[in-house]
Amino acid sequence: MATVFAATESSVLVDGQPVEGVQGIDYRMRRARSNVYALGSTERVGVTSGAYDVDGRLRVASASVALDALTGEQLFQIVANLRHGETTSTVTFDECFLTAKTFDLTVGGTGEAVYSFSAARVREEN
C-alpha cells in the first residue's frame, strides 16, 4: 500500500526555523553510473558508481523572508517533516546552497516563489 503524506499536515524548516506558506517541495537524487562489460562480450556484468548530487525546489506562497535573506554562498539545512495522521517521515537536506529563485504571479491568483537548491546529501528517515 502506498504511503500518502498531506501537505497541510507537513512542515519545512530552514536552519531550524519554520517556513511559512510552503506549497510544495520536490527533489531529485542522481548518481552517475557506468556499465562494466566482460572482455569480448556485449553483456553487462556489473555497474560502477560515481558522483552523487541532489537538486531540489521549495515552493512558497508569495515569498520567504528567511530564504530571501540567504546569499548564494551561505550554507543552510532544510528539514521536511512529512506527515499524514500517525504516519511520519523526515527528509533532511544537508549543506544546501541556493541556486535560483523564480517568482510567478497570475491574474486572480497569489504570488508563488520557487527557491531552487543544491544539497551535499539527503537523508530520509521513517
Side-chain angles (χ1 to χ4, degrees), residues 78-97:
I78 297 174
V79 177
N81 296 304
L82 309 177
R83 173 178 297 264
H84 181 63
E86 298 299 315
T87 306
T88 63
S89 181
T90 301
V91 181
T92 304
F93 302 91
D94 294 317
E95 298 180 34
C96 298
F97 281 105

Side-chain angles (χ1 to χ4, degrees), residues 9-11 21 35 48 56-57 74-75 79 88-90 96 100 106 113:
E9 297 178 44
S10 300
S11 64
N35 294 325
T48 61
R57 297 182 318 156
Q74 189 174 353
L75 286 172
V79 177
T88 63
S89 181
T90 301
C96 298
T106 58

